[in-house]
Amino acid sequence: MLLPSREHGAVKETLYQDLLGKQAMSARRHPLLIPALTALALLAALGSVTLGTVPLSPARILAVLTGGGDDVARAILIDLRLPRMLLGLIVGAMLGLSGAALQGYLRNPLAEPSVLGASNAAALGAVCALYFGLAHMHPFVLPALAILTSLTGIGALFLLAGPAESPLTLILAGIAISTLAGAGISLSLNLSPNPFAAMEIMSWLMGSLENRAYSHVWIALPCVTVGAALLIADGRTLDALTLGEDGAQALGIDLGKARLRLMLGVAIGVGGAVAVSGAIGFVGLIVPHLVRPLTDRSPSAILLPSMLGGAVLLTLADIGVRLIPTSSELKLGVLTALLGVPVFLIHLMRERRLW
């Protein structure tokens, strides 16, 4: 039933004041959260550059950082560890931010990029590049296909969901896209022409930042920048959706355009991140749950902390895979899964009544 314009304005004003009250409460709480996460990110970045399987003395590290040092130390720090550190921060930030944005938009504490099929679709593109040998033609072929299939998956998501704005419709359509992409990945492994190709595909699917170069940084950085900007711009929309879809529309939110920005942000950002790191799970799921108790739990208050927290978590995990004594380096996606499941279950038991 349509309300008279005066009553509609009163309802809109009431909802808007409620929303502003939540945002003001968010601004007052935990003023040290962002500075603390920023400091942790800087410490994690420093650790990523200075720690590794090859021990370097502080004197050799300092010599390289001041423009001198021997060639071996310079190659390890500048050519190997520095791009790896940058990618850990970039990829982790995108995964954490996309998880927080999706949990706020879908109002589902289990949402993460794979829910909409973006991660699996990007992984399918990368697997196709490996399966058909296209990845060996040029370093940019694999990430380009990963980003392209991620965008294709989001386009298919729009076609399946249609004009509906219901989060449930998007989740069901995303599950269909994700399942189809997963079937394509399994098929490529099943029909792999030789065991070496299958091993290469499996190694990529487990996720890693090993042997990455500055070219990978320049591939991921523009995609993550665009994706993050689109997601952060929807902070007010995510807060409005806590009042329900009708309440958000009463505040003047165009849900169709908001959904488009969210889908493009996830597809471009996660596609670029997955293209250079492989499939890394649980970061987008866990990080919002870790930072949520330190905020007022409004979606906009979780975005930036989740972005910083994701960067910290993935960079620390990448340090861990280098320092854990194994015959070959542990894959990053394996470690995040091993750490993520118990952490998530603990927080689920603590917070299940507070979401």
Side-chain angles (χ1 to χ4, degrees), residues 20-266:
L20 287 178
K22 291 182 178 180
Q23 292 176 335
M25 185 182 297
S26 171
R28 289 195 302 267
R29 291 193 178 188
H30 304 288
L32 296 180
L33 177 60
I34 299 299
L37 288 174
T38 303
L40 285 176
L42 293 175
L43 289 175
L46 180 62
S48 181
V49 172
T50 57
L51 300 176
T53 54
V54 178
L56 295 176
S57 65
R60 294 178 69 187
I61 294 174
L62 183 61
V64 172
L65 296 179
T66 54
D70 58 273
D71 293 338
V72 174
R74 189 180 303 108
I76 292 174
L77 288 176
I78 305 301
D79 298 332
L80 296 178
R81 293 183 183 175
L82 184 57
R84 187 167 181 168
M85 176 270 288
L86 293 174
L87 283 175
L89 295 174
I90 293 170
V91 173
M94 188 65 233
L95 294 178
L97 174 62
S98 60
L102 288 174
Q103 289 179 17
Y105 182 79
L106 300 175
R107 280 96 76 192
N108 187 333
L110 298 179
E112 61 168 339
S114 61
V115 170
L116 298 181
S119 296
N120 276 9
L124 177 60
V127 167
C128 289
L130 296 171
Y131 180 83
F132 293 106
L134 302 176
H136 302 290
M137 296 173 56
H138 195 278
F140 289 94
V141 172
L142 188 150
L145 278 179
I147 296 170
L148 179 62
T149 52
S150 179
L151 291 172
T152 302
I154 292 298
L157 180 70
F158 275 104
L159 291 177
L160 289 175
E165 297 171 347
S166 170
L168 179 60
T169 304
L170 287 176
I171 291 174
L172 294 177
I175 291 174
I177 297 297
S178 182
T179 303
L180 181 61
I185 293 171
S186 300
L187 182 64
S188 66
L189 288 171
N190 188 29
L191 301 179
S192 180
N194 59 72
F196 297 104
M199 290 177 60
E200 189 177 11
I201 292 172
M202 285 300 300
S203 177
W204 188 90
L205 288 174
M206 287 188 287
S208 177
L209 298 178
E210 187 180 8
N211 298 325
R212 298 305 190 264
Y214 291 104
S215 59
H216 296 93
V217 176
W218 293 118
I219 290 169
L221 185 58
C223 297
V224 170
T225 301
V226 173
L230 289 171
L231 295 181
I232 292 176
D234 269 335
R236 179 176 178 270
T237 299
L238 298 179
D239 283 343
L241 283 170
T242 60
L243 304 173
E245 294 176 16
D246 293 336
Q249 289 178 326
L251 287 172
I253 301 297
D254 188 332
L255 295 183
K257 291 182 179 180
R259 184 176 69 168
L260 177 62
R261 288 193 299 270
L262 184 81
M263 300 300 103
L264 288 177
V266 171

Side-chain angles (χ1 to χ4, degrees), residues 3-24:
L3 295 173
S5 59
R6 182 175 299 178
E7 294 181 12
H8 181 272
V11 171
K12 181 176 179 179
E13 180 67 21
T14 301
L15 293 173
Y16 188 64
Q17 291 298 329
D18 186 18
L19 181 61
L20 287 178
K22 291 182 178 180
Q23 292 176 335

